[in-house]
Amino acid sequence: METYGGRRSQAERDAITVEIGYALCSALFAAAVLFGAVAGPALLFELPGTVEKLLLRAGLTIAGVVFAVRVVVVLVRFRPQRPQPSQPGRTSPDS
């Protein structure tokens, strides 16, 4: 963005779109893996009704929380790089 409130360039919009897609796909994968790990035994084996319900509900809850947290973490970590303003009077360490 050139100025505050200005329009984004096509490259910036593309970068945001890719980042959103990555956040959703990685969150879906992580949630699916954790759901399978927690609720998998209930789906594969015959367990008592209470244990089966508990594992399925715990798997759904954990999967939902992991999905939301992963999306938020990825999108918060992504911040478009903006050029830093120059600081007159300061020299670089290389000079």
Side-chain angles (χ1 to χ4, degrees):
M1 283 186 337
E2 294 176 11
T3 60
Y4 179 77
R7 303 190 93 199
R8 291 187 173 106
S9 70
Q10 184 64 40
E12 288 173 323
R13 289 192 307 256
D14 290 345
I16 292 169
T17 302
V18 168
E19 199 66 24
I20 290 169
Y22 170 72
L24 292 174
C25 289
S26 67
L28 182 64
F29 179 76
V33 167
L34 283 171
F35 176 78
V38 174
L43 299 172
L44 293 175
F45 305 114
E46 280 191 41
L47 299 172
T50 310
V51 174
E52 191 171 320
K53 278 184 182 180
L54 179 67
L55 286 176
L56 287 173
R57 287 183 183 173
L60 285 172
T61 303
I62 291 171
V65 169
V66 166
F67 181 85
V69 168
R70 177 67 182 161
V71 168
V72 169
V73 166
V74 169
L75 293 180
V76 166
R77 195 180 317 162
F78 174 74
R79 297 222 170 114
Q81 299 297 324
R82 294 191 176 111
Q84 292 183 345
S86 63
Q87 297 176 347
R90 292 196 176 183
T91 59
S92 66
D94 297 337
S95 61

